[in-house]
Amino acid sequence: MAPYPVLRGLYELDKTIGCGGFAKVKLATHILTGEKVAIKIMEKRSLGENLHRVRVELDALQSLSHRHISQLYQVLETESHFFLVVEYCSGGELFDHIVEKNRLSEKEARAAFRQILSAVAYLHSLGFVHRDLKPENVLLDKDLNMKLIDFGLCAKPSGGLTGFLYTSCGSPTYAAPELVLGKKYLGHEVDVWSMGVLLYALLCGFLPFDDDKIDTLYKKILEGKYEEPAWLTAESRRLIRSMLQTDPKKRVRVDELLSHPWVMRGFREPIPLNNSCNMKEHDSQCVNILARHKNITPEEMWELLSKWKYDYNTATYFLMLNRKRRGLPVRIFGPGATPFRNYRNN
Ligand SMILES: Cn1cc(Br)cc1C(=O)Nc1[nH]nc2c1CN(C(=O)N[C@H](CN1CCCC1)c1ccccc1)C21CC1
C-alpha cells in the first residue's frame, strides 16, 4: 500500500474501492475498534480549483449526522493530501443493485425512496442542498439501508433555501432543466428533480432522459418528455410527473413529498423530518472506556470529545457508539493487541 505516514498506527489501509477525478477511496480498518471505514484520499496538487469543493464537503459533513448519510469520522490534512475518514458502505452502489434486480417493485422502491427523501429533507432543513443526487451517489450499507455520499457539490445558499444558486454543476443526466439552461435556480428544487430521476430509475431500471449526444439529452430534459412503461401504476406516474415538472414553480416540494399518498402507502407515519441520529450525545459507557484507555478521567475525556474536532478521538467515539447502537459489545483494543482477523499466510 502506498504509505501515508499520517495514517500509521491509526488505520490499516486495505484495497482501493473507488477512483474518481481527483480522489480515490480506500477500504481501511480503524485500529482501536477494529471497525471498517472508507478513507477518501485527495491529493491537493491534483485538486486545482476543486480545492474549495473539499472545504464545502468538509463543512457540510461536519454538520450532518443522519442514518441515511455516510457519517464523517475524521479529517486529516498534510501539506500534500486531505483524508476524509467516513462510514464504510459494504453494499456497494444503489445503481448496481437496481441493475442486478432489473428494476425494483413499487414496495422496494418506496422503502428506498423514503430513506433518500428523509436524508434530503434533513439536508434541506439545515439549509444545505446536495445538487448532485444520482444513483451512483447512493450507497447501501450491509443491511441494505441507503447512504447518501459525495457532498462536494452541495451548497449552503447564502440566502438560505430562498437564496438563488448560479453554478451549473452535477451530472447532466440528472440535471434539472433550469440548471441545464444555466438560469439561476433554487437548490432544493433541483434536488427534487434529481430525486424524480432517481425514483424513475428505481421503478423502471433505466433513466427517463438519456442520450449519447449531450445536446439531444439537453433537449429531452428541457422538453421533460419520457417513457412511461406499462408496469408503472397510475399513482407512480402521477408522483414522477409532479417531480419531473420542467417548470420548477410547478414542481412538488420536499415537504409535500414527506406526506405524499404514494410515499405513505403502507406506512402509518409521515417521514420524521429530523430522523437525524445524534452522534454528538454523551454516552458515559463509551466515554469511560475511552478515558480508561487514555489514562485520563471521564470528565477530561468528555472535555476533549465535546470539541468535536473530527480527530482520532472523534472517530473512535463515533465508531464505539455505532457498535453500541448495533447491539455489539463496545470494545477497544489495548496497545499491542491486534484483533484476530482471518490470517493471511503472508
Ligand atoms: C462501490 N462499493 C462496493 C463495495 Br462492496 C463498497 C463500495 C463503496 O464504494 N463503499 C463506500 N463506502 N463509503 C464510501 C464508499 C465509496 N465512497 C465514495 O465517496 N465514493 C465516490 C463515488 N462517486 C460516485 C460518482 C463519482 C464518484 C468517490 C468519490 C471520489 C473518488 C472515488 C469515489 C465513500 C466514501 C464515501
Side-chain angles (χ1 to χ4, degrees), residues 45-292:
R45 197 185 26 236
S46 54
L47 279 170
E49 52 97 24
N50 289 303
L51 188 62
H52 81 284
R53 270 172 58 172
V54 177
R55 302 262 177 234
V56 162
E57 182 161 33
L58 282 181
D59 291 350
L61 286 175
Q62 291 188 32
S63 19
L64 300 174
S65 176
H66 188 276
R67 269 175 54 83
H68 301 303
I69 292 175
S70 172
Q71 179 65 44
L72 176 69
Y73 296 132
Q74 184 174 359
V75 179
L76 299 103
E77 182 176 352
T78 64
E79 73 290 341
S80 58
H81 288 85
F82 277 113
F83 302 84
L84 261 59
V85 183
V86 295
E87 182 175 358
Y88 174 58
C89 309
S90 60
E93 290 182 15
L94 172 62
F95 210 59
D96 300 335
H97 187 64
I98 301 173
V99 165
E100 95 196 8
K101 300 189 72 152
N102 183 8
R103 64 174 190 267
L104 303 188
S105 70
E106 196 165 276
K107 200 164 173 319
E108 290 167 324
R110 176 174 297 113
F113 185 72
R114 281 174 65 94
Q115 295 186 353
I116 296 163
L117 178 59
S118 109
V120 174
Y122 166 76
L123 207 55
H124 289 183
S125 72
L126 294 179
F128 289 103
V129 288
H130 190 282
R131 293 197 299 180
D132 195 19
L133 292 173
K134 55 188 179 185
E136 298 94 316
N137 282 344
V138 179
L139 298 181
L140 304 171
D141 68 8
K142 66 183 162 321
D143 310 316
L144 296 190
N145 284 309
M146 305 291 131
K147 298 280 178 181
L148 226 44
I149 61 165
D150 272 354
F151 289 79
L153 285 179
C154 93
K156 187 161 193 168
S158 46
L161 283 183
T162 54
F164 282 112
L165 291 161
Y166 297 85
T167 336
S168 165
C169 55
S171 330
T173 321
Y174 312 96
E178 64 270 24
L179 230 168
V180 159
L181 281 172
K183 290 162 70 174
K184 64 182 183 185
Y185 60 89
L186 283 173
H188 55 106
E189 291 172 343
V190 299
D191 280 350
V192 168
W193 173 280
S194 303
M195 279 197 287
V197 173
L198 252 166
L199 177 59
Y200 185 97
L202 289 168
L203 286 166
C204 301
F206 47 83
L207 296 165
F209 312 106
D210 207 355
D211 201 283
D212 307 342
K213 294 181 40 269
I214 192 90
D215 49 333
T216 322
L217 171 63
Y218 280 173
K219 213 163 71 59
K220 290 181 180 177
I221 291 173
L222 295 176
E223 267 166 15
K225 284 196 189 53
Y226 51 87
E227 283 286 307
E228 286 190 332
W231 62 77
L232 284 181
T233 62
E235 210 182 29
S236 297
R237 292 164 196 243
R238 259 198 305 280
L239 173 57
I240 292 172
R241 208 170 301 133
S242 70
M243 300 177 81
L244 297 183
Q245 275 294 321
T246 50
D247 176 354
K249 295 306 158 221
K250 291 190 188 130
R251 209 170 292 158
V252 67
R253 290 194 326 278
V254 170
D255 53 296
E256 293 168 320
L257 286 173
L258 290 170
S259 52
H260 189 283
W262 186 92
V263 173
M264 293 289 290
R265 183 166 303 293
F267 292 82
R268 243 194 321 282
E269 307 299 318
I271 294 170
L273 187 58
N274 59 351
N275 182 3
S276 59
C277 57
N278 183 18
M279 301 295 284
K280 297 181 177 176
E281 67 177 23
H282 181 280
D283 178 288
S284 44
Q285 184 192 11
C286 294
V287 174
N288 293 345
I289 294 172
L290 203 43
R292 208 179 1 261

